[in-house]
Amino acid sequence: MKLSLDPQAINDVLDGRWAEARRTGRSLALDPTTHDDPADDLETARAKTLTGVGMMAETGLPMTGLPPQMGGKNEHATNVAGFEETVTANPSLQIKAGVQFGLFGGAILHLGNSEQHEKWLLDSQAGRLLGSFAMTEIGHGSDVASVATTATYDPKTEEFVIDTPFRAATKEYIGNAARDASAAVVFAQLITAGVNHGVHALFVPVRDDAGDPLPGVTIEDDGYKGGLKGVDNGRLAFDSVRVARTNLLNRYGDVAADGTYSSPIESPGRRFFTMLGTLVQGRVSLDGASVVASKLALDIAVRYGLERKQFTAGDDSTETTLLDYGQHQRRLMPALASVYASAFAHEKLLTSFEEVFSGADDSDENRAVLETRAAAFKADSTWMALDVIQECREACGGAGFMAENRLVGLRADLDVYATFEGDNTVLLQLVAKRLLGDYAKEFAHLDVGGAARYIGTQAAEHTLYRTGLANAGRAISDALTPNLGERRIRSGRLQRTLLETRLDVMVSDVAQALRPATKMSADKAADLFNTHQHELIEMARAYVELEKWKALDEKMREQTDADQAKVFRRLRDTYGLSLIEKHMAWHLMYGRLPMSRARQLNETLGRLCAKLTANALDLVDAFGYGHEHRRATISTGIEAQRQAEAADYYRRARAKQDYPVDEKQLRKAAKQKAKAAAK
Amino acid sequence: MKLSLDPQAINDVLDGRWAEARRTGRSLALDPTTHDDPADDLETARAKTLTGVGMMAETGLPMTGLPPQMGGKNEHATNVAGFEETVTANPSLQIKAGVQFGLFGGAILHLGNSEQHEKWLLDSQAGRLLGSFAMTEIGHGSDVASVATTATYDPKTEEFVIDTPFRAATKEYIGNAARDASAAVVFAQLITAGVNHGVHALFVPVRDDAGDPLPGVTIEDDGYKGGLKGVDNGRLAFDSVRVARTNLLNRYGDVAADGTYSSPIESPGRRFFTMLGTLVQGRVSLDGASVVASKLALDIAVRYGLERKQFTAGDDSTETTLLDYGQHQRRLMPALASVYASAFAHEKLLTSFEEVFSGADDSDENRAVLETRAAAFKADSTWMALDVIQECREACGGAGFMAENRLVGLRADLDVYATFEGDNTVLLQLVAKRLLGDYAKEFAHLDVGGAARYIGTQAAEHTLYRTGLANAGRAISDALTPNLGERRIRSGRLQRTLLETRLDVMVSDVAQALRPATKMSADKAADLFNTHQHELIEMARAYVELEKWKALDEKMREQTDADQAKVFRRLRDTYGLSLIEKHMAWHLMYGRLPMSRARQLNETLGRLCAKLTANALDLVDAFGYGHEHRRATISTGIEAQRQAEAADYYRRARAKQDYPVDEKQLRKAAKQKAKAAAK
């Protein structure tokens, strides 16, 4: 059952194209300063994380995205890959560095002009100019187009006046704001000459050199959160704060000295979504960070599961470890498979991100596919991480609940990944909208008031392109051959057919149900969408699952080493069959899977998990993490040591013959004696 | 759609038989000392929790379980119900009070003699004698029979010598140990005259009056955990610690001065499980505490969902709140239904607990049913709480992640409830074993070495009785009528039939598969069990789900007010159909549900959730909690206030005509003008 694998070779596949950046990123975990400590108070944790941000600047990774003339490489995925790996040091570091270099720096890079780059970008990417990304407001979380902060142009002084008109317009959950930022990129409704030109971004200083809020700026501290203690989230409010006209990041919209507005993109909606699109990096990096956190958790739980014995007698004759148990395998092996699938899917996402942002292929179509995938993968992977970490936590029992074993901290930190950079349910509706648009043109331009809101405003004025879904809307009958029942349930073709068919049917069913919306009043259309919101979200998840399965399937086909290819096949089958089991009701309800095959699935999955378990250690070794990344007491071999000590004690005691007789044995012996005597 | 409900009347049903104790328990939340504060360091949190334990003692609740001659009432469920409600103050308080009064005090009460009661019990229940319950060891979590700590009788001094023979035998995760306990009930292998009589409990002082560990006692601090910061968990190790012979809690096993062992229960295994059985209270109370925590989370999330608007324009014409969205309803309403079901199931569990421990009906059969249900409900409810709280956390978006909104803290604290007092997967295997024993006698006495271990050692020598499952093993065909397809999917009879049939078929299928184990070698039997471990656990969950559904169904039938009965029916149907949807694949695979009905289920559930939403506020008001229990900023009405403020701002701005024109409107107007001019 056990295959002969080389973990380093698998690690090379996993670390992939950006292996060097990944290894640089995870090297930050070597310095204890970057580590989370539950005993740290808020200020200590924040100060340590800031030090980590400085260390990140020193690696030079934040500079790679800059144009060559500024010392950069015009490489965009490199720093993302590097940042993701800092989750091994501390998720707070990944987020704080992400805010500083990816969001604050990224906004200046993508929305600013070259003068602004000179003025702020080098300082930002070197960690000298600390900044916030002030988009979200209390009153508007996911609905960014509705932010209420205003930037009103005053032609007399050639300044913008920034205002928070009411409490709900306060910028909220802003990273770096509570403690460190001296400036913020603020998203506000740009008003000039009595006209509101929609949301634009401005560079706004918020603190003076002494670290105190500038006049008109109110800063509040969000205080304790469910996790991410090292990130100083806070609230920003503005009262007639004036900034120079040239502080408007003006790539997609500018105001002349006299107050005249101009923009290279005529449609205000399209302009807004183009601006937002440049910020897709955040979602891409959360997808990758979720994979890293899941790897760490599995690395810890698998090692412990291979050592820890349960329900063994006092002697050392029984060797049953946790991972020998069928249920334990069923908890951890599908998780392992989904992490492998997600890692390879993420690599494809990064590749597409690099293509778009380096300019290698920045067609509108490629950009749209990137945005759809980033939204879809971010939603699925952040939820996966929460599930995987929790499964690992419980699989480690009471030890899993101890802070020193890392799992509870990782889960607490990752919790909000499901919410920020776009709430997962909102993102999945955006994906659903794209899938519908691919399926039939009338959905592509469906933006009737309320209805559009229900499936994500962002889609409203966006030109839609194919999502990369190969055959959305093809005839279902093509996908099935009459002799399906005779195929082995593990057949890759069967898995693909089932996953693809399910998505196809879901899309055409939902499209059918929603078609009347195109001819309805906005209110009624909204109601109709609302009735089908659950199916829209399920449909979007079916899309991600298929994409991830395909990524793992492709990677499997690339393997040349026989055993390595075989273990990849086991991973693919475990992932694929887990998905089919999860949606079994659907496959049965739509007659896609014969009952006889369906009933085999549980047993087949059980056998696959047992096979994967034989190489479980190789598969976590392949993550490339050492103790300095895991830092969990239970994954250090301490458990095996304790057991050896206990076994040794019993052995010696028995050898000395001073081991007390067990009462049960005594009774048994007495009974046998009595029996013998009776005879 | 909206029914006319009286939340107070529903609260009376929910608080039920132990309403008074519940209200006393939750009154502890009125004192801020009992509240969790994320800014507290470990010592502060622990000191506050200890103060709360003192307040609990002052209510007199811990005394109710004592015999009348000691000032008690021989009421056993009263204090459990009261303790559960202290989750509204702080789960740390529930756990620390549970350790002190339920485990430490409970062990003295149930395992000790009347002299020992006089000596220690009054002080314990008054909070004057603080103690630990030292059962779990590092090396043996769930497998309590294998603890390695020894208590060796020395007839010369008439003392027991307590020893931790190796590191893995250290008592671990022991509540009250790190800081407060001056004594501990220690579970150890009792050895006298060279014979090991198995696990017994002894009263062992661990700290002197100054609070320092006594000679031979080593105490370590577990430090930070994933939650429960106010509970001082620690490790206890013993090196030749001597206690008097009379410190053995000797109700089920005693040692005479000369070292002669005696016990009222002959079989050592049966004796051990009788001792353990007296401690079922812990599982009962975790079931109830999970219900309380889930109620709190829903109370917070529903209130916020009814106020918070999403994707509304700047004007106040659209009134869509989060709970108007179909998906939001699907997240919270099934959770609400399962909490109602669990609350009523818990009340039945408490009733059975009271019967057994008051002596009203302490037959072996009733005791066995209690133990099975306690294990089953504890496992299902603790997992439910984690799911419900997380769903609520995500449903509140970024605000849900802020510590001030309570949800993240509740989840962190409840996390380990899935592990302690018996790991959920181990407990469910115990339940499975009982179900098999009910089904066929050969399983009742199946204790072949390894095989028994796989399904929970506890079952090994325990006489088995019917679990209360009405018809396990009856002919499946009886349960189905030919005209099933014509019934409405909401029919209660259909729900019951589906849930019962599934359980019946699972039990008989697994029994069929495992029958060969009774004639196999221990090793082979163990392998066979392992292959079916997953199904055993699924089968046990099917049992709990049916029991909870029945409890809600019964309570529904008791309602006399028409609207109240109607809302209970909606809750029952939502719970029942959610379960059927969850296991739809099974129902289809076994031909229990026609495809046509199955396809209606999603839509029916959606409609039910919408209907429940109409009374969502009543249903959370009925929990009987005020702000002093919820203490979440977002559930105070602050969101509605902020929105009113924003709406007011826009209204005034428009009235003054100084509201800037929207660029989009401007373009639209220009286009229309151009069109008109062209004509």
Side-chain angles (χ1 to χ4, degrees):
Chain A
M1 191 137 52
K2 190 173 175 184
L3 303 169
S4 169
L5 300 176
D6 173 8
Q8 184 54 53
I10 302 178
N11 177 248
D12 290 338
V13 183
L14 277 171
D15 279 350
R17 180 170 162 191
W18 289 277
E20 197 191 322
R22 291 198 178 281
R23 287 157 196 176
T24 303
R26 75 179 72 132
S27 74
L28 294 192
L30 303 184
D31 187 327
T33 314
T34 64
H35 302 172
D36 188 30
D37 183 341
D40 286 341
D41 62 21
L42 218 47
E43 279 314 295
T44 309
R46 289 170 173 185
K48 282 166 65 175
T49 311
L50 182 61
T51 306
V53 169
M55 290 162 56
M56 174 53 89
E58 275 168 37
T59 66
L61 277 174
M63 300 293 290
T64 50
L66 270 52
Q69 62 271 26
M70 287 185 74
K73 296 179 179 173
N74 191 28
E75 282 178 18
H76 298 262
T78 309
N79 57 357
V80 174
F83 284 18
E84 289 163 10
E85 295 286 331
T86 61
V87 165
T88 59
N90 186 346
S92 284
L93 176 56
Q94 189 234 342
I95 297 306
K96 197 169 166 90
V99 168
Q100 172 64 32
F101 306 116
L103 293 177
F104 175 67
I108 300 171
L109 173 65
H110 296 303
L111 304 178
N113 57 43
S114 55
E115 248 172 79
Q116 293 170 328
H117 290 174
E118 288 297 332
K119 208 163 153 190
W120 302 310
L121 192 53
L122 285 176
D123 282 348
S124 151
Q125 302 314 80
R128 287 186 299 265
L129 171 65
L130 298 176
S132 285
F133 182 79
M135 181 184 268
T136 302
E137 296 179 356
I138 297 177
H140 296 283
S142 299
D143 186 10
V144 183
S146 301
V147 297
T149 303
T150 52
T152 311
Y153 184 66
D154 177 358
K156 275 172 273 172
T157 60
E158 298 191 15
E159 287 172 323
F160 286 100
V161 188
I162 319 289
D163 276 296
T164 303
F166 42 81
R167 175 79 191 164
T170 305
K171 298 295 178 184
E172 172 62 307
Y173 317 130
I174 308 302
N176 266 354
R179 183 180 184 271
D180 294 324
S182 54
V185 169
V186 176
F187 286 79
Q189 304 288 345
L190 189 157
I191 297 162
T192 179
V195 177
N196 180 355
H197 293 276
V199 179
H200 287 66
L202 299 98
F203 181 96
V204 182
V206 295
R207 276 191 177 85
D208 61 20
D209 292 344
D212 295 316
L214 287 167
V217 178
T218 305
I219 305 180
E220 290 176 354
D221 194 326
D222 278 328
Y224 282 89
K225 306 181 295 287
L228 297 177
K229 196 165 62 177
V231 184
D232 54 323
N233 295 87
R235 302 180 199 102
L236 293 173
F238 305 94
D239 181 10
S240 301
V241 172
R242 289 180 167 261
V243 297
R245 184 177 65 90
T246 50
N247 278 29
L248 174 68
L249 300 176
N250 65 356
R251 181 161 164 194
Y252 297 109
D254 201 7
V255 172
D258 67 353
T260 310
Y261 180 83
S262 63
S263 168
I265 305 175
E266 216 203 343
S267 153
R270 208 169 144 70
R271 184 193 310 145
F272 174 63
F273 294 118
T274 306
M275 285 192 221
L276 279 194
T278 59
L279 305 166
V280 69
Q281 170 173 343
R283 289 174 190 165
V284 173
S285 76
L286 295 190
D287 178 46
S290 300
V291 172
V292 173
S294 304
K295 281 178 181 170
L296 274 181
L298 280 166
D299 205 352
I300 294 165
V302 164
R303 279 169 208 280
Y304 185 63
L306 289 169
E307 280 184 7
R308 172 76 175 181
K309 290 175 193 167
Q310 183 82 298
F311 288 113
T312 50
D315 61 51
D316 54 344
S317 60
T318 28
E319 291 287 337
T320 314
T321 68
L322 285 182
L323 256 175
D324 288 328
Y325 288 96
Q327 181 70 2
H328 213 81
Q329 297 172 356
R330 281 295 272 270
R331 293 180 104 163
L332 300 184
M333 294 305 112
L336 196 61
S338 72
V339 168
Y340 268 81
S342 303
F344 297 132
H346 178 64
E347 175 98 348
K348 286 175 72 176
L349 181 66
L350 270 184
T351 304
S352 140
F353 176 71
E354 181 64 31
E355 269 175 21
V356 168
F357 282 80
S358 69
D361 177 0
D362 60 354
S363 65
D364 282 356
E365 173 159 359
N366 209 26
R367 196 176 278 272
V369 170
L370 168 64
E371 284 175 22
T372 303
R373 288 198 180 147
F377 290 4
K378 182 270 183 188
D380 191 72
S381 297
T382 53
W383 273 332
M384 172 194 76
L386 293 183
D387 289 343
V388 168
I389 301 170
Q390 183 64 18
E391 206 62 80
C392 291
R393 188 321 263 152
E394 292 183 28
C396 294
F401 191 60
M402 300 296 116
E404 66 169 31
N405 291 322
R406 201 78 191 284
L407 299 165
V408 285
L410 277 176
R411 196 202 168 284
D413 288 339
L414 268 284
D415 185 4
V416 77
Y417 284 45
T419 299
F420 59 22
E421 298 287 333
D423 176 88
N424 285 357
T425 58
V426 175
L427 291 182
L428 290 172
Q429 289 174 77
L430 171 65
V431 174
K433 162 80 182 166
R434 291 280 172 86
L435 292 171
L436 286 177
D438 277 3
Y439 176 73
K441 275 215 166 149
E442 66 255 51
F443 291 107
H445 298 289
L446 184 77
D447 57 27
V448 275
R453 281 191 210 130
Y454 278 89
I455 48 169
T457 329
Q458 195 161 340
E461 290 203 32
H462 213 295
T463 309
L464 286 148
Y465 295 95
R466 298 200 68 78
T467 45
L469 167 63
N471 295 301
R474 74 181 150 197
I476 305 147
S477 56
D478 297 354
L480 291 166
T481 61
N483 61 341
L484 180 66
E486 286 161 39
R487 283 194 209 155
R488 290 193 322 143
I489 188 96
R490 271 188 68 182
S491 141
R493 214 180 136 207
L494 174 63
Q495 291 170 46
R496 177 189 286 269
T497 304
L498 287 172
L499 296 173
E500 281 181 349
T501 308
R502 176 159 177 267
L503 177 58
D504 289 354
V505 176
M506 285 177 109
V507 172
S508 60
D509 274 8
V510 171
Q512 203 64 30
L514 293 183
R515 190 157 278 143
T518 56
K519 284 159 204 141
M520 277 177 177
S521 71
D523 273 6
K524 285 201 172 161
D527 279 348
L528 187 63
F529 268 91
N530 200 17
T531 313
H532 294 280
Q533 199 184 14
H534 186 63
E535 292 109 288
L536 284 162
I537 289 171
E538 290 301 302
M539 176 180 105
R541 296 205 79 173
Y543 165 73
V544 203
E545 289 168 351
L546 172 61
E547 288 300 305
K548 287 189 170 182
W549 183 89
K550 285 187 340 199
L552 182 49
D553 183 64
E554 283 164 24
K555 200 53 79 176
M556 178 195 91
R557 288 168 201 286
E558 287 171 19
Q559 303 313 307
T560 49
D561 177 84
D563 273 16
Q564 193 156 311
K566 209 164 177 181
V567 84
F568 273 59
R569 182 175 298 271
R570 288 176 181 174
L571 288 166
R572 183 205 66 176
D573 294 347
T574 303
Y575 183 62
L577 296 186
S578 295
L579 292 176
I580 292 162
E581 187 190 46
K582 186 173 150 198
H583 306 301
M584 180 80 93
W586 191 95
H587 297 297
L588 292 169
M589 213 150 36
Y590 285 81
R592 293 295 168 254
L593 194 61
M595 299 285 184
S596 57
R597 295 285 145 193
R599 291 201 201 191
Q600 289 172 0
L601 203 122
N602 179 47
E603 206 186 319
T604 309
L605 252 178
R607 269 201 302 270
L608 268 168
C609 288
K611 282 181 186 170
L612 277 181
T613 302
N615 286 104
L617 190 61
D618 294 325
L619 290 167
V620 298
D621 272 343
F623 295 153
Y625 299 139
H627 175 65
E628 61 278 21
H629 304 106
R630 287 186 298 271
R631 301 194 305 279
T633 312
I634 47 167
S635 71
T636 56
I638 195 176
E639 178 65 26
Q641 263 174 45
R642 280 193 296 245
Q643 283 170 6
E645 200 185 303
D648 194 48
Y649 165 84
Y650 285 116
R651 213 175 298 119
R652 276 183 294 118
R654 248 178 255 113
K656 284 193 290 170
Q657 299 270 327
D658 72 350
Y659 192 70
V661 182
D662 186 89
E663 189 187 3
K664 283 190 226 172
Q665 293 163 8
L666 209 65
R667 280 165 193 275
K668 215 173 167 183
K671 256 188 200 164
Q672 283 170 342
K673 218 172 164 181
K675 249 189 195 168
K679 278 181 189 169
Chain B
M1 190 137 55
K2 191 174 175 184
L3 303 168
S4 170
L5 299 176
D6 173 8
Q8 184 54 54
I10 303 178
N11 177 248
D12 290 338
V13 182
L14 278 171
D15 280 351
R17 179 170 164 191
W18 290 277
E20 197 191 321
R22 290 198 180 281
R23 287 159 195 174
T24 303
R26 73 178 75 132
S27 74
L28 294 192
L30 302 183
D31 187 326
T33 314
T34 64
H35 301 171
D36 188 31
D37 183 340
D40 286 341
D41 62 21
L42 218 45
E43 278 314 295
T44 310
R46 289 170 173 186
K48 282 166 65 175
T49 311
L50 181 61
T51 306
V53 169
M55 290 163 56
M56 173 55 88
E58 275 168 37
T59 66
L61 277 174
M63 300 292 290
T64 50
L66 269 53
Q69 63 271 26
M70 289 185 74
K73 296 179 180 174
N74 191 28
E75 281 178 19
H76 298 262
T78 310
N79 58 355
V80 175
F83 284 19
E84 289 163 10
E85 294 286 331
T86 60
V87 165
T88 60
N90 186 346
S92 285
L93 176 54
Q94 189 235 339
I95 297 307
K96 197 170 164 90
V99 167
Q100 171 65 31
F101 305 117
L103 293 177
F104 175 66
I108 300 171
L109 173 64
H110 297 303
L111 304 179
N113 58 43
S114 55
E115 248 172 79
Q116 293 170 327
H117 290 174
E118 287 297 333
K119 207 161 155 193
W120 301 311
L121 193 54
L122 284 176
D123 283 347
S124 152
Q125 302 313 80
R128 286 186 299 264
L129 170 65
L130 298 176
S132 285
F133 182 80
M135 181 184 268
T136 302
E137 296 180 357
I138 297 177
H140 296 283
S142 298
D143 185 10
V144 184
S146 302
V147 297
T149 302
T150 52
T152 311
Y153 185 66
D154 177 359
K156 276 171 274 172
T157 60
E158 296 191 17
E159 287 172 323
F160 285 101
V161 187
I162 318 288
D163 275 297
T164 303
F166 42 80
R167 176 78 192 163
T170 306
K171 298 295 177 184
E172 171 64 305
Y173 316 132
I174 308 302
N176 266 354
R179 183 180 184 271
D180 294 323
S182 54
V185 169
V186 176
F187 288 79
Q189 304 287 346
L190 190 155
I191 297 161
T192 178
V195 177
N196 180 356
H197 293 275
V199 179
H200 288 66
L202 300 99
F203 182 95
V204 182
V206 295
R207 276 192 177 84
D208 62 21
D209 291 345
D212 294 317
L214 287 167
V217 178
T218 305
I219 304 180
E220 290 177 352
D221 194 326
D222 277 329
Y224 281 89
K225 307 180 295 286
L228 298 178
K229 198 166 59 178
V231 184
D232 53 322
N233 295 86
R235 300 179 200 104
L236 293 173
F238 304 94
D239 182 10
S240 301
V241 172
R242 289 179 168 261
V243 296
R245 184 178 64 91
T246 50
N247 278 29
L248 174 68
L249 300 176
N250 65 356
R251 180 160 165 198
Y252 297 109
D254 201 8
V255 171
D258 67 355
T260 311
Y261 181 82
S262 64
S263 168
I265 304 175
E266 214 204 344
S267 153
R270 207 168 145 71
R271 183 193 310 144
F272 174 62
F273 293 117
T274 305
M275 285 192 221
L276 279 195
T278 60
L279 306 165
V280 70
Q281 169 172 344
R283 289 175 190 164
V284 173
S285 76
L286 295 189
D287 178 45
S290 300
V291 172
V292 173
S294 304
K295 282 179 181 170
L296 274 180
L298 281 165
D299 204 353
I300 293 165
V302 164
R303 280 167 209 280
Y304 184 64
L306 289 169
E307 280 184 7
R308 173 74 174 182
K309 291 174 192 167
Q310 183 83 298
F311 288 113
T312 51
D315 61 51
D316 54 344
S317 60
T318 29
E319 291 287 336
T320 313
T321 67
L322 285 182
L323 256 175
D324 288 327
Y325 288 95
Q327 181 71 1
H328 212 81
Q329 296 172 357
R330 282 295 272 271
R331 291 180 106 163
L332 300 184
M333 293 305 113
L336 197 60
S338 71
V339 168
Y340 268 81
S342 304
F344 297 133
H346 178 63
E347 175 98 349
K348 286 176 72 178
L349 181 66
L350 270 184
T351 303
S352 138
F353 176 71
E354 181 63 32
E355 269 174 21
V356 168
F357 281 80
S358 69
D361 177 0
D362 59 355
S363 66
D364 282 357
E365 173 158 1
N366 209 26
R367 197 176 278 271
V369 171
L370 168 64
E371 283 174 24
T372 303
R373 287 198 181 147
F377 289 4
K378 182 272 184 184
D380 192 72
S381 297
T382 53
W383 273 333
M384 173 194 75
L386 293 183
D387 288 344
V388 168
I389 301 170
Q390 183 64 17
E391 207 61 82
C392 290
R393 186 324 262 153
E394 292 184 28
C396 293
F401 191 60
M402 299 296 117
E404 66 169 30
N405 291 322
R406 202 79 191 284
L407 298 164
V408 286
L410 277 176
R411 197 203 166 283
D413 288 338
L414 269 284
D415 185 3
V416 77
Y417 284 45
T419 298
F420 58 23
E421 299 285 335
D423 176 88
N424 284 357
T425 58
V426 174
L427 291 183
L428 289 173
Q429 288 174 77
L430 171 65
V431 174
K433 163 80 182 167
R434 291 279 172 87
L435 292 171
L436 287 177
D438 278 2
Y439 176 72
K441 276 217 166 147
E442 65 254 53
F443 291 107
H445 297 288
L446 184 77
D447 58 27
V448 276
R453 282 191 209 130
Y454 277 89
I455 48 169
T457 328
Q458 195 162 342
E461 289 202 34
H462 212 294
T463 309
L464 285 148
Y465 296 96
R466 298 200 68 78
T467 46
L469 169 65
N471 295 300
R474 75 182 149 196
I476 304 146
S477 55
D478 298 354
L480 290 167
T481 62
N483 62 340
L484 180 67
E486 284 160 41
R487 284 194 209 155
R488 291 193 320 144
I489 187 97
R490 271 188 67 183
S491 142
R493 214 179 134 208
L494 175 63
Q495 291 170 46
R496 177 189 287 267
T497 304
L498 288 172
L499 297 173
E500 282 180 348
T501 308
R502 178 160 176 267
L503 177 58
D504 289 354
V505 175
M506 285 176 108
V507 172
S508 61
D509 275 8
V510 172
Q512 203 63 32
L514 293 183
R515 188 156 280 142
T518 57
K519 285 159 203 138
M520 279 177 175
S521 71
D523 273 6
K524 284 201 172 160
D527 278 349
L528 188 62
F529 268 91
N530 199 18
T531 314
H532 294 279
Q533 197 183 18
H534 186 63
E535 292 110 288
L536 283 162
I537 289 171
E538 289 301 302
M539 177 179 104
R541 295 204 80 173
Y543 166 71
V544 203
E545 290 168 351
L546 172 61
E547 289 299 306
K548 287 189 169 183
W549 183 89
K550 286 188 337 201
L552 182 49
D553 183 64
E554 282 164 24
K555 201 52 82 176
M556 179 195 91
R557 290 169 200 285
E558 287 171 18
Q559 303 312 307
T560 50
D561 177 83
D563 273 17
Q564 193 157 311
K566 210 164 177 181
V567 86
F568 273 60
R569 182 175 298 270
R570 287 174 182 175
L571 287 165
R572 184 205 64 177
D573 293 349
T574 303
Y575 183 63
L577 296 186
S578 295
L579 292 176
I580 292 162
E581 188 190 45
K582 186 173 150 199
H583 306 302
M584 181 79 94
W586 192 94
H587 298 297
L588 292 169
M589 214 150 36
Y590 285 82
R592 293 294 167 256
L593 194 63
M595 299 285 182
S596 57
R597 295 283 146 195
R599 290 199 203 193
Q600 288 172 3
L601 202 122
N602 179 46
E603 208 185 316
T604 309
L605 250 179
R607 271 201 303 270
L608 267 169
C609 288
K611 283 181 184 170
L612 277 181
T613 302
N615 286 104
L617 191 60
D618 295 324
L619 289 166
V620 297
D621 272 343
F623 295 153
Y625 299 138
H627 175 65
E628 62 277 20
H629 304 107
R630 287 186 298 272
R631 301 195 304 280
T633 312
I634 47 167
S635 70
T636 56
I638 196 176
E639 179 65 26
Q641 263 175 44
R642 280 192 296 244
Q643 283 170 8
E645 199 185 303
D648 192 49
Y649 166 85
Y650 285 116
R651 214 176 294 119
R652 276 184 294 117
R654 248 178 255 113
K656 284 191 292 171
Q657 301 270 326
D658 71 351
Y659 192 72
V661 182
D662 187 89
E663 189 187 2
K664 283 189 224 171
Q665 293 163 9
L666 209 66
R667 281 164 192 277
K668 216 174 169 184
K671 258 189 199 164
Q672 284 170 342
K673 219 173 162 183
K675 250 189 194 166
K679 279 182 188 166

